[in-house]
Amino acid sequence: MDSSQGRGRAKVERSEVARAAVRALAEGRAADLADAVERGIAEMGASPRGRRPTRAELRAHAQAHEESTVGTAGRGRRIAAVLEEALEVLSILEQTVVSRDPEGCARRPPAVYGRAARGELDLDPIVHVRVETSLSAATLAQALFDHGAPDPTCGSIETRYGRLDEIRLDGAESAFRIVRIPPRMTVDRDRDLVRGVPIEHADYEQLSAHAPRR
């Protein structure tokens, strides 16, 4: 087999693994994306040492899988609903910080991070949010609950900056992981809190640009 045939076969294998991984996620047989890829590798009998599907390949298969199930319009409605819910969460957090944090008007507005900041909502069902405030996580969780969010819970997450408060919220359309950033902590907004890799972010105004016009 020449090198071009080898590359072609590897590409087909990655595509098959990606398709199987997306099925595992959609059917609830995988805990997260990494688990789904491992299941896809096992299901397709692929080499565990082979190259994993890229995020772009996985997103493409996720989009195709959803459109085959609910159609293009159905996928569009689902994405619009997730964006609307994310905007509502950002709005509640910002209103709470501005009205209850003594220096709320000087705080950076809450923002979503990662693929959701680009409006890419085909693969990862979790929307990651950061909010800078002196208010406690419990206060923020109570504000979300008072505005109709179903039972937010407070916990913590280990980051490059130490352990930070995290609010977990399972909304009607998506799951949210909201990290509270203490005002005195210097955090690089353009880097992932855990891995330190570059990451995109969008506040309410920026995220609303991805929302469908009505």
Side-chain angles (χ1 to χ4, degrees), residues 153-214:
T153 59
C154 296
S156 63
I157 180 174
E158 190 64 45
T159 74
R160 300 166 62 227
Y161 306 94
R163 189 163 289 276
L164 296 175
D165 294 331
E166 181 184 60
I167 302 166
R168 295 192 169 210
L169 169 64
D170 291 329
E173 304 297 337
S174 186
F176 291 83
R177 301 293 181 264
I178 304 165
V179 177
R180 173 187 170 272
I181 307 296
R184 295 182 181 179
M185 179 176 286
T186 302
V187 171
D188 189 341
R189 300 175 69 213
D190 299 321
R191 296 280 175 177
D192 183 273
L193 288 172
V194 176
R195 295 174 295 161
V197 297
I199 193 169
E200 296 185 57
H201 48 84
D203 59 21
Y204 184 98
E205 182 177 354
Q206 294 162 335
L207 186 63
S208 63
H210 296 294
R213 302 300 178 189
R214 296 186 177 183

Side-chain angles (χ1 to χ4, degrees), residues 1-14:
M1 182 185 298
D2 62 31
S3 60
S4 62
Q5 289 177 319
R7 287 193 298 271
R9 181 165 184 171
K11 184 175 181 180
V12 170
E13 184 175 87
R14 289 201 311 275

Side-chain angles (χ1 to χ4, degrees), residues 10-193:
K11 184 175 181 180
V12 170
E13 184 175 87
R14 289 201 311 275
S15 181
E16 292 174 344
V17 169
R19 187 178 294 109
V22 166
R23 282 200 306 268
L25 276 176
E27 295 168 4
R29 294 186 286 110
D32 52 30
L33 185 56
D35 182 37
V37 171
E38 293 302 323
R39 289 176 181 273
I41 289 171
E43 182 177 325
M44 302 312 300
S47 170
R49 295 187 298 275
R51 183 179 168 191
R52 262 59 171 170
T54 65
R55 291 272 183 172
E57 289 169 334
L58 288 162
R59 280 198 301 272
H61 281 286
Q63 177 178 335
H65 182 275
E66 184 173 17
E67 289 184 351
S68 71
T69 304
V70 300
T72 302
R75 171 177 168 267
R77 286 192 295 270
R78 195 264 308 168
I79 290 175
V82 174
L83 286 170
E84 184 174 350
E85 189 170 53
L87 288 169
E88 178 66 13
V89 167
L90 290 179
S91 177
I92 294 168
L93 292 172
E94 186 165 8
Q95 291 174 18
T96 303
V97 171
V98 169
S99 63
R100 301 184 65 177
D101 186 328
E103 298 182 24
C105 291
R107 307 295 187 209
R108 289 171 174 162
V112 299
Y113 279 73
R115 291 182 298 280
R118 300 191 296 268
E120 294 179 358
L121 300 161
D122 284 308
L123 189 60
D124 190 346
I126 298 175
V127 177
H128 297 273
V129 179
R130 297 184 201 175
V131 54
E132 178 185 301
T133 183
S134 62
L135 299 175
S136 69
T139 298
L140 297 174
Q142 185 63 49
L144 290 164
F145 181 77
D146 291 343
H147 282 82
D151 198 22
T153 59
C154 296
S156 63
I157 180 174
E158 190 64 45
T159 74
R160 300 166 62 227
Y161 306 94
R163 189 163 289 276
L164 296 175
D165 294 331
E166 181 184 60
I167 302 166
R168 295 192 169 210
L169 169 64
D170 291 329
E173 304 297 337
S174 186
F176 291 83
R177 301 293 181 264
I178 304 165
V179 177
R180 173 187 170 272
I181 307 296
R184 295 182 181 179
M185 179 176 286
T186 302
V187 171
D188 189 341
R189 300 175 69 213
D190 299 321
R191 296 280 175 177
D192 183 273
L193 288 172

